Amino acid sequence: MQFKKYIGILFFSSCSQYLVAQVESDTLKTSHLKEVIVTGTRTERSVATLPLPTQIITGESIRKSGLSRLNEIIQEQTGLITVPDFGGGEGIQIQGLDAAYVMVLIDGQPLFGKSAGTLDLSRISVNNIEKIEIVKGASSSLYGSEALAGVVNIITKKTTTTEQLKGNINYKLATFNTHDISTSFEYGKKKIGFELFGNYFKTDGYNLSESNFVQTVEPYSNFTIQPKVKVNFSDKVNLLLNSRIYNQNQDYKSEVGTDKFRGKSKINEWNNSILLNHAVSDNFKLVYDLYATNYKADEYLNDENNQLFDESNLNQWFYRPEIRSHYKIGKNKLTTGIGVNHETLERTYFEEKVNLNSEYLFGQFEWFLKEKWNVLVGFRYDNHHQYQSQFSPKIGLNYKWNDHFSLKTSLGYGYKAPDLRQLYFDFTNSSVGYIVLGYNVAAEKLAELQSQGQILFTNGYDFSNSLKPESSININFGGYYKKNKLSFDYNLFYNTIENLIDTRAIAQRTNGQNVFSYFNIDKIFTYGLELNGSYKLNSNFSISSGYQYLIAKDQTIVDKIERGEIFARDPITLTSFRLKPSDYFGLYNRSKHIANIKLNYLIPSIETSINARVFYRSKYGIFDSNNNAILDKYDEFVKGYFLTNLTINKDFKYRFSAQLGVNNLFDYKDENNIPNLSGRQLFTRIQYQF
Amino acid sequence: MIKSNFFKSVLILSVFSFFTSCSNDDDNASGTANLETKTFSNLYAPQTGGMGAPVGGEFTKFSFSQNAIVTNDSWDIAFRGTTIIVNGGTAIGITDEPTRTGNGAVSIVSNTLDAVTTIPNASTFNQDGASTYAIPTGSGNGWYNYDGATNIVTPIAGKVFVVKTHDGKYAKMEIISYYKDAPANPEATSLTRYFTFKYVYQPNGTNF
């Protein structure tokens, strides 16, 4: 999978509010007051009283920005950083924790398909999104593995049962020969509603490198089709069928010395869910939820004689039946659920298809103690067959100081199961000759290598106990203030992750290279402060701003520096010197400061609104440059930078609207360090609704 | 990876190294200043095989007292690719291994080269043996880190080898580069298996 990104694209909307800008801003104002979130508890909760740090990206703000892939939207949010990884994907860093620890859901269902540990967010078109809900901090008590740093839930437009045919079509043209076409239709009868969304996206990619053969982002195209059906059997029973089909094709090229290779990489994804809601009584509701998804990635390279040089394949299936119940006792709510996960994966470098199975149950109680207090307690137990089972508790507390201000605190446990690569990999590096073995197959494979006389000696590791999941403790302490035109929230957070999985040499081959496997080794911690505020000066002008301060470090490194065991080598004099504790900068790819400011200005007389956003990210490191494998203050850093995005929205008569925008207005680029920053992109877009 | 703010860093680090150089000079004024810190550059240690095939080829043998590559039994340590062996102990069992005739050993210390002034405790010295390296092999284990993404081998800063030579003398050494002419920022295309190391040889004493 190649790196692909940031091509400014289309966006669009199937929202009728879009037409009249004045209505938009009023809607925005009122919708904030009764902002509801479902991701934190799987029940509808007001943001103000929920004792968890949350963030909501409204469909309205997505439309106004003119952006259209999820990665572009995410990186405009306070405290969220999109990080490119070697596999080509771009994941989300939350509270300083890696993208691998963030669970991404579409309409509450998990997305799969991580070939190098990161789920690529650009796969998701945001054109039919109602809103994006983000819950920060460990959420394994509801969602199980991976919901360690947080959960991002993309909520698409709800299907309505109105008798009118509604729809829209829009087209966006952007720099790098980027085209994006979206359309949606809605139609319903009394008892049935139908919606179809389609998106086609195509770009030439871009090149920041000096090579004129291999581009930074190769040309690619993709389409998304999302049909939805809603059937109301009665007032008490309804059925929702959601499907998503995604297909992407990208050029794939490689240059090894003077040899040039060409090929293609393909992604096929399919998500399907059936949801049956049954209101048994006024106080008791059951949800039957069946979800299945398949992610397939295939790529190949041919040499100049068109002979196959290299290929790799990945085919992942996931099935999950789940039953949830919601029981109301006065104002209080008891939620319980049971389910089964079944996952299979076939891929290059796995000897055979692997299966992961688990059963789970969860429970949660939302307790509105008194007028001013509410408590959230929850737990989940996952009975895993392939690694250690997990119990994940969580507790949250909200205190309503007065009508405008509430205090929130939460404490939770999160975990991430070893990924299938860490359990089942069987990889031999063809150019250097080292071997990487998954933990669950290492003992057997090693014995096999030994019997073939390939092993010089082993380092005596024992594989009899299962590999442990990476696990975290997360603490948040924050507050939420809202009065008239001002809203403000803050959150202090702390995370510590234990049993981080890393490789260790388990044996040496006769060719001098090592055999590696995965072990629970490291311990890291992150802490910081997040601030968000918004203010509406008048009905035409609003401003919002956010800031995050972050420290993220490896505890093992901190300890070693304190013991005086870590040195750095001056690259010029090649002399080593001992590091002091204050010299340690922390983990790679973490900025101490990130900030944003967003302005929205409406000129009613010409029905035009201007939306400007400025982002700042302070310096961060992506590699060690002084021979100690850690990031210290003498290393080379990626410079801090500002980005500015600007969008102008204009409404015309006859249901037309148009948009003109520029991303990265000042054309900031760092060719060597930030491959996902393409430089300035202009775009224009036109939409028609019917 | 090429770094855009390279020159700025060079400047900063040059300034920094100016200060550290000064302090090093001060340290050296403590009585062993007659010992000379030598730098041996571009000791070429090729190997055959690799790329998945069995590794072989002659080790490049080095003598501290002669400050030279040697081909006889007077060697103290020997190099082949990233593998380093000592002239002491018994055969590890790898191909083309030279016969050990001396009583050499090595103790690995985390420190700057200048700050190692005494010989570590005898129990910290190791010799090669059957399936055991005195200097552990592999990324992060012995003297280097290997970055699988860039294919660069980086000598770990502050890994000092106190070597007991084949004839029972001592030397302290730090490997500073694995690439020809010790470039500050080696690239994947830099010529590899060229060791540059700094060392101090102590012909008659147990202090540096």
Side-chain angles (χ1 to χ4, degrees):
Chain A
M1 281 189 297
Q2 278 70 54
F3 196 66
K4 47 194 130 33
K5 230 81 307 134
Y6 270 89
I7 315 307
I9 335 162
L10 165 141
F11 125 4
F12 102 78
S13 109
S14 60
C15 176
S16 54
Q17 291 164 358
Y18 188 79
L19 275 184
V20 186
Q22 182 66 57
V23 173
E24 256 174 61
S25 38
D26 288 345
T27 311
L28 189 65
K29 189 178 162 188
T30 47
S31 72
H32 266 294
L33 288 172
K34 47 182 180 190
E35 227 170 24
V36 162
I37 186 161
V38 297
T39 310
T41 55
R42 288 190 163 177
T43 59
E44 290 202 345
R45 283 292 294 263
S46 100
V47 167
T49 67
L50 183 68
L52 307 172
T54 59
Q55 204 166 333
I56 291 179
I57 309 169
T58 61
E60 203 52 55
S61 68
I62 294 172
R63 281 181 281 282
K64 276 188 182 159
S65 69
L67 304 171
S68 56
R69 305 312 283 192
L70 184 62
N71 57 306
E72 299 174 297
I73 295 291
I74 289 295
Q75 63 172 6
E76 293 205 345
Q77 311 308 316
T78 308
L80 306 183
I81 293 267
T82 56
V83 180
D85 84 351
F86 288 119
E90 220 182 345
I92 312 170
Q93 189 187 96
I94 294 184
Q95 293 189 345
L97 300 179
D98 266 337
Y101 305 110
V102 176
M103 182 171 242
V104 180
L105 311 171
I106 290 193
D107 292 318
Q109 311 286 13
L111 278 177
F112 280 74
K114 300 178 173 181
S115 63
T118 307
L119 193 126
D120 186 9
L121 301 173
S122 74
R123 258 164 47 199
I124 298 150
S125 163
V126 298
N127 289 336
N128 62 334
I129 288 179
E130 179 79 39
K131 62 174 174 173
I132 300 170
E133 297 185 350
I134 298 153
V135 174
K136 297 180 178 177
S139 307
S140 293
S141 64
L142 262 189
Y143 295 100
S145 172
E146 279 184 29
L148 189 148
V151 179
V152 173
N153 191 1
I154 299 140
I155 296 171
T156 60
K157 292 238 148 46
K158 298 251 181 310
T159 313
T160 50
T161 46
T162 50
E163 280 217 29
Q164 200 184 356
L165 175 70
K166 281 202 294 188
N168 73 58
I169 180 158
N170 74 72
Y171 169 69
K172 179 171 165 181
L173 175 68
T175 310
F176 310 120
N177 196 19
T178 302
H179 304 267
D180 194 343
I181 301 169
S182 276
T183 183
S184 76
F185 297 94
E186 263 181 79
Y187 185 67
K189 293 268 186 194
K190 260 181 197 161
K191 297 208 157 184
I192 187 161
F194 179 75
E195 197 205 329
L196 180 67
F197 167 76
N199 171 259
Y200 177 75
F201 179 86
K202 177 181 178 293
T203 179
D204 283 354
Y206 58 86
N207 193 14
L208 300 171
S209 71
E210 282 158 20
S211 164
N212 45 24
F213 180 67
V214 179
Q215 290 200 151
T216 308
V217 174
E218 300 291 349
Y220 69 97
S221 65
N222 61 48
F223 68 80
T224 308
I225 298 172
Q226 245 175 299
K228 288 186 190 179
V229 179
K230 181 178 180 180
V231 187
N232 290 331
F233 292 110
S234 71
D235 291 349
K236 303 197 168 191
V237 182
N238 70 56
L239 180 74
L240 296 164
L241 302 171
N242 284 357
S243 246
R244 176 174 169 270
I245 298 152
Y246 176 79
N247 170 286
Q248 176 166 296
N249 275 290
Q250 184 168 31
D251 289 356
Y252 180 27
K253 288 181 186 167
S254 184
E255 213 170 2
V256 181
T258 55
D259 296 332
K260 292 180 166 58
F261 303 94
R262 282 166 218 272
K264 290 269 180 212
S265 87
K266 271 187 176 185
I267 294 170
N268 279 292
E269 191 183 8
W270 177 80
N271 316 70
N272 204 355
S273 86
I274 304 171
L275 210 67
L276 184 74
N277 289 298
H278 181 200
V280 181
S281 72
D282 286 350
N283 295 328
F284 187 55
K285 192 180 147 190
L286 282 169
V287 182
Y288 303 88
D289 181 341
L290 184 64
Y291 178 61
T293 182
N294 175 227
Y295 177 88
K296 229 167 154 287
D298 303 283
E299 59 186 34
Y300 71 88
L301 280 176
N302 285 350
D303 65 17
E304 272 151 299
N305 302 322
N306 229 15
Q307 297 299 306
L308 187 66
F309 169 71
D310 190 28
E311 67 176 330
S312 73
N313 307 291
L314 185 152
N315 188 6
Q316 189 171 24
W317 283 91
F318 175 77
Y319 306 89
R320 190 190 64 190
E322 182 178 285
I323 301 170
R324 294 188 292 277
S325 75
H326 301 281
Y327 186 54
K328 262 202 265 181
I329 313 153
K331 281 178 76 179
N332 310 314
K333 274 184 232 165
L334 179 70
T335 301
T336 56
I338 53 167
V340 176
N341 288 329
H342 174 64
E343 186 183 342
T344 68
L345 178 64
E346 288 171 279
R347 67 170 286 184
T348 319
Y349 312 128
F350 277 25
E351 193 178 56
E352 53 191 26
K353 181 158 126 181
V354 296
N355 293 284
L356 276 191
N357 294 302
S358 64
E359 301 84 37
Y360 59 90
L361 68 98
F362 59 85
Q364 171 189 270
F365 190 55
E366 294 163 82
W367 188 16
F368 293 84
L369 257 152
K370 286 183 177 172
E371 182 68 13
K372 294 194 171 226
W373 292 89
N374 82 72
V375 181
L376 173 70
V377 278
F379 79 93
R380 174 167 162 142
Y381 183 76
D382 288 88
N383 180 40
H384 293 293
H385 296 216
Q386 278 73 25
Y387 48 88
Q388 206 182 53
S389 295
Q390 293 290 300
F391 176 73
S392 316
K394 182 163 189 164
I395 183 162
L397 191 65
N398 186 286
Y399 175 71
K400 195 170 151 194
W401 195 278
N402 59 36
D403 283 348
H404 308 295
F405 184 53
S406 59
L407 285 169
K408 309 171 168 206
T409 182
S410 64
L411 171 66
Y413 175 87
Y415 78 95
K416 179 181 179 293
D419 69 33
L420 289 167
R421 204 169 31 130
Q422 291 159 344
L423 296 175
Y424 297 105
F425 219 27
D426 180 5
F427 172 76
T428 304
N429 178 296
S430 56
S431 61
V432 181
Y434 62 85
I435 293 177
V436 185
L437 298 174
Y439 187 90
N440 288 11
V441 296
E444 183 194 327
K445 289 276 160 201
L446 197 57
E448 198 178 305
L449 289 168
Q450 268 174 316
S451 69
Q452 293 164 0
Q454 288 201 42
I455 299 297
L456 188 61
F457 59 85
T458 67
N459 296 335
Y461 282 99
D462 174 36
F463 295 90
S464 54
N465 296 319
S466 354
L467 194 61
K468 291 184 192 131
E470 301 180 339
S471 61
S472 80
I473 303 287
N474 164 246
I475 302 167
N476 294 290
F477 186 78
Y480 181 89
Y481 178 83
K482 181 157 186 62
K483 191 174 185 182
N484 302 331
K485 294 171 172 177
L486 175 70
S487 77
F488 182 77
D489 64 76
Y490 67 89
N491 186 49
L492 287 156
F493 58 86
Y494 175 81
N495 291 286
T496 171
I497 311 187
E498 282 187 338
N499 291 323
L500 281 179
I501 296 171
D502 202 354
T503 51
R504 281 287 181 271
I506 56 168
Q508 185 168 108
R509 299 181 70 190
T510 46
N511 69 4
Q513 292 296 326
N514 285 309
V515 180
F516 297 94
S517 188
Y518 297 91
F519 294 93
N520 297 111
I521 297 162
D522 298 320
K523 184 176 172 178
I524 62 163
F525 60 89
T526 75
Y527 60 88
L529 169 67
E530 183 181 331
L531 303 172
N532 283 292
S534 69
Y535 185 69
K536 203 165 166 57
L537 275 82
N538 56 49
S539 60
N540 298 330
F541 189 45
S542 62
I543 179 167
S544 71
S545 186
Y547 169 77
Q548 179 183 269
Y549 175 77
L550 173 72
I551 294 292
K553 290 183 172 177
D554 182 328
Q555 186 63 50
T556 326
I557 304 290
V558 171
D559 294 345
K560 277 188 180 168
I561 296 181
E562 273 175 15
R563 291 197 301 263
E565 291 170 10
I566 298 202
F567 298 78
R569 179 174 288 122
D570 181 322
I572 304 307
T573 65
L574 300 177
T575 303
S576 298
F577 57 95
R578 194 187 301 266
L579 291 183
K580 295 191 294 290
S582 59
D583 294 339
Y584 181 36
F585 188 84
L587 302 177
Y588 295 109
N589 235 321
R590 268 70 170 187
S591 293
K592 266 188 188 165
H593 310 280
I594 48 178
N596 62 65
I597 184 160
K598 300 175 184 175
L599 307 172
N600 197 49
Y601 184 59
L602 172 74
I603 311 161
S605 56
I606 54 168
E607 287 188 358
T608 297
S609 69
I610 298 165
N611 187 259
R613 292 103 61 206
V614 180
F615 307 94
Y616 172 71
R617 179 173 185 189
S618 70
K619 74 169 184 180
Y620 60 99
I622 51 173
F623 54 86
D624 165 50
S625 57
N626 55 16
N627 303 5
N628 52 18
I630 68 152
L631 198 58
D632 57 72
K633 70 178 189 187
Y634 305 104
D635 273 311
E636 292 169 32
F637 286 88
V638 181
K639 275 187 286 190
Y641 60 91
F642 285 94
L643 290 181
T644 304
N645 297 345
L646 193 68
T647 314
I648 298 167
N649 295 286
K650 162 86 178 148
D651 296 310
F652 297 99
K653 289 173 184 167
Y654 310 114
R655 299 171 167 184
F656 276 102
S657 63
Q659 201 167 44
L660 199 63
V662 52
N663 292 335
N664 196 356
L665 178 64
F666 299 104
D667 200 24
Y668 185 82
K669 278 188 266 192
D670 184 342
E671 290 83 350
N672 300 316
N673 297 319
I674 320 178
N676 56 344
L677 205 55
S678 68
R680 187 186 299 124
Q681 311 152 341
L682 301 169
F683 65 88
T684 180
R685 173 185 149 274
I686 185 154
Q687 171 171 292
Y688 176 69
Q689 311 216 133
F690 55 92
Chain B
M1 216 176 268
I2 307 145
K3 295 99 191 183
S4 57
N5 42 10
F6 172 68
F7 288 106
K8 198 173 163 188
S9 309
V10 167
L11 185 69
I12 293 165
L13 287 163
S14 309
V15 172
F16 180 80
S17 58
F18 171 74
F19 289 114
T20 50
S21 310
C22 290
S23 62
N24 288 349
D25 291 346
D26 295 342
D27 291 345
N28 276 349
S30 61
T32 50
N34 55 328
L35 294 178
E36 193 186 345
T37 303
K38 290 181 177 154
T39 301
F40 195 88
S41 296
N42 298 325
L43 179 143
Y44 185 44
Q47 66 178 30
T48 58
M51 305 271 180
V55 170
E58 287 282 303
F59 276 80
T60 305
K61 298 184 271 190
F62 183 79
S63 159
F64 288 109
S65 63
Q66 297 163 61
N67 183 31
I69 294 167
V70 295
T71 50
N72 56 22
D73 288 341
S74 67
W75 62 284
D76 301 315
I77 57 170
F79 305 77
R80 186 176 73 191
T82 57
T83 304
I84 304 174
I85 58 174
V86 295
N87 192 357
T90 56
I92 297 162
I94 51 182
T95 44
D96 299 328
E97 200 173 348
T99 318
R100 286 168 184 74
T101 54
N103 194 27
V106 66
S107 171
I108 303 174
V109 181
S110 285
N111 210 333
T112 61
L113 190 64
D114 291 334
V116 176
T117 54
T118 56
I119 304 300
N121 194 307
S123 66
T124 65
F125 280 84
N126 290 310
Q127 291 188 321
D128 291 333
S131 299
T132 321
Y133 290 88
I135 298 167
T137 58
S139 175
N141 297 328
W143 63 272
Y144 70 93
N145 284 314
Y146 170 73
D147 183 336
T150 59
N151 288 323
I152 298 288
V153 168
T154 308
I156 301 166
K159 282 279 175 209
V160 175
F161 297 154
V162 178
V163 180
K164 188 178 174 192
T165 64
H166 75 288
D167 53 356
K169 314 287 188 198
Y170 289 95
K172 58 175 182 179
M173 70 174 284
E174 183 183 12
I175 297 166
I176 54 183
S177 182
Y178 188 60
Y179 294 89
K180 193 160 193 235
D181 300 327
N185 292 295
E187 291 173 24
T189 51
S190 304
L191 288 177
T192 182
R193 296 175 184 147
Y194 286 89
F195 283 87
T196 293
F197 50 92
K198 286 185 184 179
Y199 73 93
V200 176
Y201 177 63
Q202 170 57 282
N204 43 23
T206 52
N207 282 315
F208 290 106

